[in-house]
Amino acid sequence: AGDVPRRQLAGRRRATVAPEPAPELSDAELRGALEAILLVVDEPVSELVLAQVLEQPAERVGPMLDEIAAGYTAAGHGFELRRAAGGWRLYTRPEYATYVERFVLDGQSVRLTQAALETLAVVAYKQPVTRSRISAIRGVNCDGVIRTLVTRGLIEECGTETDSGAFLYRTTTLFLEKLGLNTVDELPPLAPFLPDDVEELADATR
């Protein structure tokens, strides 16, 4: 009977054993991991958060960020790593602001091509729809046009098709804003603008 408390105590000891600490990354691994995270953040991220995510000592993260920032500056890159709002984030360098501004503004003002408009219409009325379905309806490969529409923020991926695993596409909130619509249900009826046999042609491509 005297063994019972000892067994219970041993069980409690085993239950409270702390997990093993994460292995320490080499300087090269830490640098690469930090750069990968900083490429995808859309707001400054703190050293503490980065240390927690990477499971590395916080005292290593700060100096490595300083080293990365200094390296970018010394190499003359068009971007820099900068402290801002209590965290770190990549920014374009001020001396290149004119070119960045020109690119952003031109990208917003350039009109869509006829092919892009046709593809956008197919997505709008058939969504969610796959690339192959869009290409079949238009009769041409639409991969490049779809990439353009995704880049412009007018369409987006919305899952995959159950049978084929192909990506599905739909219109975005920006698309509705540009057309002044609340939902896609407010799109005008398409039938009056189509030839009589369009549905038979579309069904034949499925």
Side-chain angles (χ1 to χ4, degrees), residues 86-102:
W88 291 82
R89 186 182 176 188
L90 292 169
Y91 293 87
T92 55
R93 292 196 181 280
E95 55 264 40
Y96 301 116
T98 301
Y99 304 109
V100 175
E101 181 180 3
R102 186 185 306 166

Side-chain angles (χ1 to χ4, degrees), residues 52-69:
Q52 290 174 340
V53 169
L54 298 176
E55 298 182 310
Q56 298 299 305
E59 55 269 21
R60 290 191 65 206
V61 172
M64 180 58 73
L65 290 168
D66 287 329
E67 183 180 320
I68 293 172

Side-chain angles (χ1 to χ4, degrees), residues 89-133:
R89 186 182 176 188
L90 292 169
Y91 293 87
T92 55
R93 292 196 181 280
E95 55 264 40
Y96 301 116
T98 301
Y99 304 109
V100 175
E101 181 180 3
R102 186 185 306 166
F103 172 79
V104 173
L105 293 179
D106 286 350
Q108 292 297 320
S109 62
V110 172
R111 293 180 179 273
L112 293 175
T113 64
Q114 183 66 30
L117 288 172
E118 292 175 3
T119 301
L120 184 57
V122 172
V123 176
Y125 283 94
K126 292 292 187 179
Q127 61 187 309
V129 62
T130 64
R131 287 180 185 234
S132 60
R133 176 79 170 119

Side-chain angles (χ1 to χ4, degrees), residues 2-163:
D3 290 341
V4 174
R6 283 196 295 272
R7 287 198 298 270
Q8 292 175 342
L9 181 59
R12 285 197 293 272
R13 285 173 180 166
R14 286 194 296 270
T16 56
V17 172
E20 293 185 6
E24 185 170 299
L25 299 176
S26 68
D27 286 348
E29 291 172 329
L30 179 59
R31 171 189 289 272
L34 287 170
E35 289 178 327
I37 293 173
L38 290 166
L39 277 173
V40 300
V41 299
D42 55 6
E43 60 184 21
V45 58
S46 70
E47 295 174 14
L48 180 58
V49 169
L50 290 168
Q52 290 174 340
V53 169
L54 298 176
E55 298 182 310
Q56 298 299 305
E59 55 269 21
R60 290 191 65 206
V61 172
M64 180 58 73
L65 290 168
D66 287 329
E67 183 180 320
I68 293 172
Y72 289 163
T73 299
H77 289 303
F79 56 88
E80 62 184 347
L81 179 58
R82 190 193 312 164
R83 287 181 184 270
W88 291 82
R89 186 182 176 188
L90 292 169
Y91 293 87
T92 55
R93 292 196 181 280
E95 55 264 40
Y96 301 116
T98 301
Y99 304 109
V100 175
E101 181 180 3
R102 186 185 306 166
F103 172 79
V104 173
L105 293 179
D106 286 350
Q108 292 297 320
S109 62
V110 172
R111 293 180 179 273
L112 293 175
T113 64
Q114 183 66 30
L117 288 172
E118 292 175 3
T119 301
L120 184 57
V122 172
V123 176
Y125 283 94
K126 292 292 187 179
Q127 61 187 309
V129 62
T130 64
R131 287 180 185 234
S132 60
R133 176 79 170 119
I134 298 169
S135 296
I137 292 174
R138 291 202 58 234
V140 295
N141 185 289
C142 297
D143 289 355
V145 178
I146 290 173
R147 284 194 295 270
T148 297
L149 293 173
V150 170
T151 301
R152 296 286 292 272
L154 295 172
I155 67 173
E156 63 186 358
E157 292 180 2
C158 60
T160 57
E161 193 175 47
T162 303
D163 296 334

Side-chain angles (χ1 to χ4, degrees), residues 78 116 159 194:
L194 298 175

